[in-house]
Amino acid sequence: MEMEQMNKVVGDEEKERDVKVGMKRKLRYTELFIRLLTLILSLAAAIILGLDKQTKVVPITLVSTLPPINVPVTAKYHYLSAFTYFVVANAIACSYGGVSLILTLANKGRKNGCLAKAIIMLDLIMVAVLASANGAAAAVGYIGHEGNKHVRWNKVCNVFGRFCNQVLAAVGVSLLGSLLLIFLVMLAVLKVQNKH
Amino acid sequence: MEMEQMNKVVGDEEKERDVKVGMKRKLRYTELFIRLLTLILSLAAAIILGLDKQTKVVPITLVSTLPPINVPVTAKYHYLSAFTYFVVANAIACSYGGVSLILTLANKGRKNGCLAKAIIMLDLIMVAVLASANGAAAAVGYIGHEGNKHVRWNKVCNVFGRFCNQVLAAVGVSLLGSLLLIFLVMLAVLKVQNKH
């Protein structure tokens, strides 16, 4: 009778341990999957805006007494500092995504080492960098789309429509990436708190 | 002899506990101080840009055959969406700073409750919001300062110099606030990890 009870207790403990190990593994796979997704999204955002280019022939009046001259004008990301910052920030986030993926895979056995802490810190810094890049690109894109009569900045998206749509897509993709990164930090905070 | 040794062991344990309690208290005061500082900085940033206003008389040519007319032009934060977002984001960060300060004070006795977790999550979200607002205001401010010949947006800071300087000051103060908030999240992650 006692033996049976003991067996039952041992069995329950084993089951509990199995559930814990299973949950840990699931969390780990979720983390790795989100890291991979963040990497892909920031790479996509950098490529979408980095390769964004549109050339249009625009009539420009040089002298008011002469008819306007048709000049081909090109829109590229590096003409605006905010877009350059956006592409660089996403490229950095993508590279960091690769490094953090490898480090997380390498850190499999150990619990809570300095490496795990460092990864959370760097995730956090990357959240701030990506958020500021998204804010900058969205702000400039908005002025390009709407124009601003107070400072007399004309809208340019009526001319470079495709370029502007690609900017919008890049900002959307990058925003998704940074939201996933925020989720990753939250997961790490919760995981760390529940682990002990 | 044994009694002496036992007393020594107990004394050492007490000392260790005292050191731990002292460190915990120090960390707590640091956290509260940083929260207060973040609140003040985001309030300052919102006020600096929110009250920023400059009026200048600018000659405007309506008809090319007539001489230019002198028109008073005013620069205000809400003429540009990015600046409005910046003021609103900093006002939200300031209000949140007040709430989180009260909640942290109220959460004194308990360890690691849902409240502590929620505060870290909200800190993190606030980091992202402030970073995007800083990025947006800095990007628009940069164009205002430098202009951009590719999209033919003229610089406005040569006319509204004081306004632009105040924008720069507001972005700087808000940046400092968001860096402190990042430090706060890092501190929370480290604290949680060391506590157990």
Side-chain angles (χ1 to χ4, degrees):
Chain A
M1 194 65 181
E2 259 181 36
M3 200 65 180
E4 252 177 52
Q5 241 174 349
M6 230 167 109
N7 276 346
K8 208 188 157 201
V9 168
V10 171
D12 281 355
E13 273 176 8
E14 270 178 11
K15 241 184 235 171
E16 207 175 302
R17 208 183 306 141
D18 282 352
V19 168
K20 263 190 185 171
V21 168
M23 227 178 102
K24 233 181 198 172
R25 197 175 294 156
K26 220 182 251 178
L27 259 175
R28 208 179 133 67
Y29 285 139
T30 310
E31 190 193 335
L32 288 174
F33 177 68
I34 295 177
R35 279 200 189 281
L36 187 66
L37 212 61
T38 314
L39 185 156
I40 293 169
L41 286 172
S42 50
L43 180 67
I47 288 176
I48 291 172
L49 191 51
L51 299 182
D52 198 2
K53 191 181 168 184
Q54 192 178 7
T55 305
K56 279 253 179 166
V57 176
V58 180
I60 291 177
T61 310
L62 289 177
V63 186
S64 57
T65 50
L66 290 172
I69 305 162
N70 286 328
V71 180
V73 181
T74 304
K76 268 185 185 176
Y77 81 92
H78 62 81
Y79 289 165
L80 280 156
S81 313
F83 291 164
T84 308
Y85 176 53
F86 179 89
V87 170
V88 171
N90 272 287
I92 290 172
C94 173
S95 317
Y96 167 72
V99 172
S100 73
L101 199 65
I102 293 168
L103 288 180
T104 311
L105 279 169
N107 200 32
K108 193 183 172 183
R110 293 164 222 163
K111 283 181 199 171
N112 264 334
C114 285
L115 198 58
K117 284 184 206 174
I119 290 176
I120 303 180
M121 306 284 149
L122 288 173
D123 282 346
L124 182 61
I125 291 171
M126 215 42 72
V127 165
V129 169
L130 273 187
S132 64
N134 290 339
V140 172
Y142 182 79
I143 295 177
H145 192 261
E146 299 286 322
N148 191 296
K149 63 179 167 54
H150 297 289
V151 283
R152 288 202 255 166
W153 292 345
N154 296 320
K155 54 178 153 186
V156 285
C157 286
N158 46 351
V159 180
F160 299 103
R162 193 174 55 69
F163 183 87
C164 283
N165 286 339
Q166 248 173 278
V167 171
L168 188 67
V171 172
V173 168
S174 172
L175 188 68
L176 204 65
S178 56
L179 286 178
L180 280 179
L181 214 52
I182 290 177
F183 180 68
L184 211 58
V185 178
M186 286 187 173
L187 206 72
V189 169
L190 285 177
K191 199 175 75 177
V192 162
Q193 288 198 331
N194 288 332
K195 212 179 224 171
H196 302 262
Chain B
M1 194 63 181
E2 261 181 35
M3 201 64 178
E4 250 178 53
Q5 241 173 350
M6 232 167 105
N7 276 346
K8 207 189 159 197
V9 168
V10 170
D12 281 354
E13 273 175 10
E14 268 178 15
K15 240 185 235 169
E16 208 175 299
R17 207 183 307 141
D18 281 355
V19 168
K20 264 190 184 172
V21 168
M23 227 177 103
K24 234 180 197 175
R25 194 175 296 156
K26 219 181 249 176
L27 260 175
R28 207 178 134 70
Y29 285 139
T30 309
E31 190 192 336
L32 288 173
F33 177 69
I34 294 178
R35 280 199 190 281
L36 187 67
L37 212 61
T38 314
L39 185 155
I40 293 170
L41 286 173
S42 48
L43 180 68
I47 289 176
I48 291 172
L49 191 51
L51 299 182
D52 197 1
K53 192 180 166 185
Q54 190 178 9
T55 304
K56 279 253 179 162
V57 176
V58 180
I60 289 177
T61 311
L62 288 178
V63 185
S64 57
T65 49
L66 290 173
I69 306 163
N70 286 328
V71 180
V73 180
T74 304
K76 267 185 186 177
Y77 81 92
H78 62 82
Y79 289 164
L80 281 155
S81 314
F83 291 164
T84 309
Y85 176 54
F86 179 89
V87 171
V88 171
N90 272 285
I92 290 173
C94 173
S95 318
Y96 166 72
V99 172
S100 72
L101 198 64
I102 293 168
L103 287 180
T104 309
L105 279 170
N107 199 33
K108 192 182 173 184
R110 292 166 223 161
K111 281 181 197 170
N112 263 332
C114 284
L115 197 59
K117 284 183 206 174
I119 290 177
I120 302 180
M121 307 283 150
L122 288 173
D123 281 346
L124 182 60
I125 292 171
M126 215 41 73
V127 165
V129 170
L130 272 187
S132 64
N134 290 340
V140 172
Y142 182 78
I143 295 176
H145 192 261
E146 298 287 323
N148 190 297
K149 62 178 170 51
H150 297 289
V151 284
R152 288 200 256 166
W153 291 345
N154 296 321
K155 53 179 153 186
V156 284
C157 286
N158 47 351
V159 180
F160 298 104
R162 194 177 52 71
F163 183 87
C164 283
N165 286 339
Q166 246 173 282
V167 170
L168 188 67
V171 172
V173 168
S174 172
L175 188 69
L176 204 64
S178 55
L179 286 178
L180 280 179
L181 214 52
I182 290 178
F183 180 68
L184 211 56
V185 178
M186 287 187 171
L187 205 72
V189 170
L190 286 176
K191 198 176 74 177
V192 162
Q193 291 198 326
N194 288 331
K195 214 182 228 174
H196 302 261

